[in-house]
Amino acid sequence: MATFEFDIRHLFPQPIVKVTSTLLPHTFHGQQQQALEATAKISAIIDRLGELSANAQKLNKPITTAQKLRQSDNQVVYLMADVAKGSERGDEVVGLLKIGTKDLYLFDELGQARKVDNVPCILDFYIHDSRQRMGLGKKLFETMLNEEKWNPVKCSVDRPSEKLLGFLKKHYGLERAIPQANHFVLYDGFFEHEKSSEKVTELTRSRRMLMTNRYF
Ligand code: ACO
């Protein structure tokens, strides 16, 4: 269980909070001393969940640590807690989702290499083992998509596990991956916008020609 010796309630005024390099929940308001305490607690939570995620994925070391987040300028960790109101059960942190953007060299469906800047990336995702397959992952992921204004088909996924592949297929119909030379997985539709804007340009061009033919 991801329970902690300290009270997590004031860190989670809502079930999901967003943490950036400040290591403070986005909902935080307070003085310097309170900020220091909150930072220490959030760091402990991120480190523990990062470790549990690494164990679940059988990795040698965690992908997510408070120190790595502190040093990043474009990564965000979403934390999900179950703060049981008035219950005997201890409050638990049940999930972590780390995202960020990266400039990547990618292959499109035709096998052509492209450099794409600021690609939305799913970097680490974990729901506590005792709470998986109950829809919590979907809740956390949806919150992130809404918050970041991201579209799942436009996301790349860093070394997805079988469970995550199943999750993306089930909830977002993502199935057909475009083969890549690196460890990121992207899906059919990732390059769709560029194609449709090419189509729009093409359409605009033929309309212009039509108008040109008609009036001159
Ligand atoms: N076996 C197979 N598929 C699974 C499993 C499992 N044990 N658990 C979840 N899934 C997939 C299935 O598609 C499942 O649907 P189903 O139950 O109808 O088969 C769906 O996810 C369930 O959706 P949610 O309940 O919303 O997802 P959940 O809360 O379980 O969270 C997550 C999904 C985060 C992948 C979770 O299973 C987990 O933490 N797994 C262990 C760590 C992990 O593999 N993380 C991804 C690493 S890769 C990366 O982060 C880039």
Side-chain angles (χ1 to χ4, degrees), residues 53 56-57 122-127 131-138 157-164 166-167 170-171:
S53 180
Q57 297 176 61
I122 309 303
L123 301 171
D124 197 8
F125 190 16
Y126 174 71
I127 295 293
R131 302 296 197 91
Q132 289 172 18
R133 288 186 137 162
M134 295 175 179
L136 293 180
K138 171 95 188 297
V157 193
D158 192 1
R159 288 191 181 90
S161 63
E162 285 303 317
K163 289 183 184 181
L164 184 52
F167 172 93
K170 177 185 166 123
H171 295 302

XYZ file of all heavy atoms in Angstrom, residues 53 56-57 122-127 131-138 157-164 166-167 170-171, ligand 1:
289
model
N 6.366 1.768 -9.403
C 6.171 1.662 -10.846
C 7.316 0.870 -11.474
O 7.096 -0.005 -12.311
C 6.083 3.060 -11.468
O 5.906 2.955 -12.857
N 6.906 -2.742 -10.718
C 5.829 -3.337 -11.524
C 6.293 -3.587 -12.956
O 5.854 -4.528 -13.604
C 4.604 -2.434 -11.516
N 7.206 -2.734 -13.440
C 7.685 -2.885 -14.820
C 8.991 -3.685 -14.894
O 9.592 -3.802 -15.949
C 7.907 -1.504 -15.441
C 6.658 -0.667 -15.564
C 6.976 0.719 -16.086
O 7.488 0.888 -17.182
N 6.695 1.735 -15.286
N 4.184 10.003 -23.102
C 3.777 9.324 -21.863
C 5.040 8.622 -21.364
O 5.566 7.729 -22.031
C 2.664 8.268 -22.134
C 1.506 8.877 -22.945
C 2.193 7.642 -20.827
C 0.850 10.083 -22.339
N 5.514 9.039 -20.203
C 6.837 8.576 -19.753
C 6.768 7.509 -18.666
O 7.633 6.630 -18.596
C 7.643 9.790 -19.270
C 7.848 10.876 -20.337
C 8.450 12.130 -19.719
C 8.730 10.362 -21.464
N 5.784 7.612 -17.794
C 5.673 6.634 -16.709
C 4.229 6.663 -16.217
O 3.644 7.745 -16.081
C 6.639 7.016 -15.564
C 6.889 5.872 -14.599
O 6.447 4.740 -14.874
O 7.560 6.110 -13.561
N 3.679 5.491 -15.959
C 2.262 5.411 -15.610
C 2.104 4.234 -14.652
O 2.535 3.118 -14.963
C 1.456 5.199 -16.903
C -0.031 5.314 -16.789
C -0.648 5.911 -15.691
C -0.844 4.849 -17.815
C -2.025 6.026 -15.624
C -2.224 4.949 -17.761
C -2.814 5.536 -16.658
N 1.496 4.490 -13.532
C 1.354 3.403 -12.556
C 0.110 3.601 -11.690
O -0.136 4.690 -11.163
C 2.590 3.356 -11.643
C 2.467 2.350 -10.524
C 2.518 0.982 -10.783
C 2.270 2.757 -9.216
C 2.379 0.051 -9.761
C 2.135 1.839 -8.181
C 2.186 0.483 -8.473
O 2.048 -0.434 -7.461
N -0.652 2.536 -11.572
C -1.749 2.478 -10.591
C -1.402 1.351 -9.628
O -0.935 0.282 -10.063
C -3.113 2.193 -11.289
C -3.516 3.353 -12.212
C -4.220 1.931 -10.265
C -3.853 4.675 -11.534
N -5.233 -1.772 -6.995
C -6.330 -0.933 -7.522
C -6.413 -0.953 -9.053
O -7.117 -0.130 -9.628
C -6.131 0.519 -7.074
C -6.064 0.714 -5.598
C -7.402 0.332 -4.961
N -7.480 0.872 -3.630
C -7.993 2.048 -3.336
N -8.485 2.811 -4.265
N -8.007 2.458 -2.090
N -5.651 -1.848 -9.672
C -5.684 -1.869 -11.136
C -6.985 -2.474 -11.648
O -7.661 -3.211 -10.948
C -4.484 -2.670 -11.675
C -3.173 -1.924 -11.484
C -1.943 -2.732 -11.815
O -2.005 -3.742 -12.489
N -0.790 -2.274 -11.338
N -7.301 -2.136 -12.887
C -8.507 -2.638 -13.585
C -9.805 -2.226 -12.899
O -10.774 -2.972 -12.871
C -8.455 -4.158 -13.731
C -7.419 -4.567 -14.753
C -7.429 -6.030 -15.025
N -7.321 -6.284 -16.447
C -6.953 -7.456 -16.945
N -6.693 -8.454 -16.167
N -6.852 -7.602 -18.240
N -9.793 -1.021 -12.314
C -11.026 -0.503 -11.696
C -11.387 0.841 -12.309
O -12.221 1.564 -11.769
C -10.808 -0.314 -10.194
C -10.576 -1.595 -9.449
S -10.197 -1.203 -7.728
C -9.989 -2.836 -7.069
N -10.682 1.218 -13.350
C -10.980 2.484 -14.018
C -10.194 3.679 -13.491
O -10.367 4.800 -13.985
N -9.314 3.460 -12.506
C -8.559 4.603 -11.957
C -7.540 5.126 -12.977
O -7.334 6.337 -13.104
C -7.834 4.202 -10.664
C -8.728 3.872 -9.474
C -7.898 3.502 -8.266
C -9.641 5.048 -9.144
N -6.920 4.189 -13.704
C -5.951 4.604 -14.737
C -6.621 5.504 -15.754
O -6.076 6.539 -16.142
N -7.821 5.128 -16.177
C -8.560 5.921 -17.167
C -8.835 7.321 -16.606
O -8.668 8.324 -17.298
C -9.863 5.202 -17.519
C -10.837 5.991 -18.376
C -10.680 5.667 -19.831
C -11.464 6.517 -20.795
N -12.904 6.427 -20.676
N 4.556 6.945 -26.696
C 4.623 6.244 -25.418
C 5.994 5.603 -25.282
O 6.433 4.864 -26.166
C 3.515 5.163 -25.335
C 3.384 4.656 -23.909
C 2.183 5.697 -25.828
N 6.653 5.910 -24.191
C 8.022 5.438 -23.981
C 8.005 4.009 -23.422
O 7.544 3.791 -22.303
C 8.718 6.390 -22.990
C 10.208 6.156 -22.940
O 10.700 5.275 -23.685
O 10.889 6.848 -22.165
N 8.471 3.070 -24.208
C 8.552 1.655 -23.798
C 7.286 1.164 -23.083
O 7.335 0.774 -21.911
C 9.729 1.450 -22.842
C 11.085 1.534 -23.482
C 12.160 1.052 -22.505
N 13.471 1.155 -23.092
C 14.262 2.214 -23.022
N 13.849 3.284 -22.380
N 15.445 2.222 -23.585
N 6.160 1.160 -23.759
C 4.926 0.741 -23.075
C 4.956 -0.723 -22.646
O 5.491 -1.562 -23.360
C 3.839 0.973 -24.128
C 4.551 0.988 -25.425
C 5.926 1.503 -25.166
N 4.373 -1.000 -21.494
C 4.252 -2.383 -21.025
C 3.041 -3.007 -21.713
O 2.220 -2.307 -22.313
C 4.037 -2.382 -19.516
O 2.811 -1.736 -19.224
N 2.905 -4.323 -21.583
C 1.738 -5.018 -22.155
C 0.449 -4.433 -21.583
O -0.541 -4.273 -22.279
C 1.810 -6.517 -21.857
C 2.832 -7.271 -22.717
C 2.583 -7.112 -24.213
O 1.429 -7.195 -24.644
O 3.567 -6.881 -24.954
N 0.475 -4.124 -20.290
C -0.733 -3.587 -19.645
C -1.101 -2.233 -20.245
O -2.268 -1.936 -20.471
C -0.515 -3.429 -18.142
C -0.460 -4.742 -17.403
C -0.323 -4.504 -15.916
C -0.168 -5.811 -15.157
N -0.068 -5.608 -13.703
N -0.105 -1.416 -20.487
C -0.394 -0.097 -21.053
C -0.868 -0.223 -22.500
O -1.766 0.509 -22.937
C 0.840 0.827 -20.939
C 0.633 2.251 -21.408
C -0.585 2.909 -20.777
C 1.867 3.104 -21.126
N -2.570 -2.659 -23.659
C -3.972 -3.097 -23.529
C -4.873 -1.933 -23.146
O -5.976 -1.782 -23.669
N -4.379 -1.096 -22.251
C -5.120 0.074 -21.766
C -5.412 1.024 -22.939
O -6.547 1.489 -23.113
C -4.265 0.765 -20.693
C -4.782 2.074 -20.211
C -5.608 2.139 -19.087
C -4.440 3.262 -20.832
C -6.084 3.356 -18.627
C -4.907 4.485 -20.381
C -5.729 4.528 -19.270
N -7.939 -0.554 -25.344
C -9.295 -0.621 -24.791
C -9.972 0.747 -24.746
O -11.097 0.917 -25.182
C -9.243 -1.210 -23.384
C -10.615 -1.241 -22.736
C -10.572 -1.699 -21.319
C -11.892 -1.380 -20.664
N -12.557 -2.514 -20.098
N -9.273 1.733 -24.194
C -9.932 3.017 -23.946
C -9.879 3.987 -25.132
O -10.706 4.875 -25.237
C -9.318 3.697 -22.724
C -9.554 2.935 -21.453
N -10.811 2.622 -21.001
C -8.684 2.425 -20.536
C -10.720 1.954 -19.864
N -9.443 1.815 -19.559
N -3.337 -7.232 -17.623
C -3.685 -6.842 -18.860
N -4.238 -5.633 -19.132
C -4.406 -4.789 -18.116
C -4.029 -5.127 -16.790
C -3.492 -6.414 -16.570
N -3.129 -6.841 -15.346
N -4.312 -4.088 -16.005
C -4.851 -3.125 -16.789
N -4.911 -3.548 -18.061
C -5.459 -2.802 -19.207
C -6.614 -3.632 -19.787
O -6.862 -3.182 -21.107
C -7.755 -3.232 -18.883
O -9.032 -3.518 -19.410
P -9.736 -4.926 -19.009
O -9.691 -5.002 -17.525
O -11.120 -4.791 -19.561
O -8.913 -5.992 -19.674
C -7.524 -1.746 -18.743
O -6.090 -1.596 -18.736
C -8.133 -1.248 -17.456
O -8.224 0.148 -17.480
P -8.108 0.953 -16.131
O -8.759 0.202 -15.013
O -8.559 2.350 -16.384
O -6.523 0.951 -15.946
P -5.658 0.694 -14.606
O -6.216 1.461 -13.486
O -5.438 -0.764 -14.424
O -4.278 1.373 -15.040
C -2.057 0.816 -15.853
C -3.564 0.944 -16.202
C -1.538 2.178 -15.394
C -1.323 0.374 -17.116
C -1.914 -0.222 -14.716
O -2.351 -1.464 -15.178
C -0.500 -0.365 -14.165
O -0.077 0.397 -13.331
N 0.241 -1.389 -14.616
C 1.559 -1.697 -14.045
C 2.614 -0.675 -14.441
C 2.688 -0.487 -15.935
O 2.757 -1.442 -16.702
N 2.696 0.801 -16.347
C 2.922 1.225 -17.729
C 4.397 1.230 -17.987
S 4.881 1.860 -19.563
C 4.833 3.567 -19.414
O 4.513 4.066 -18.390
C 5.199 4.439 -20.584
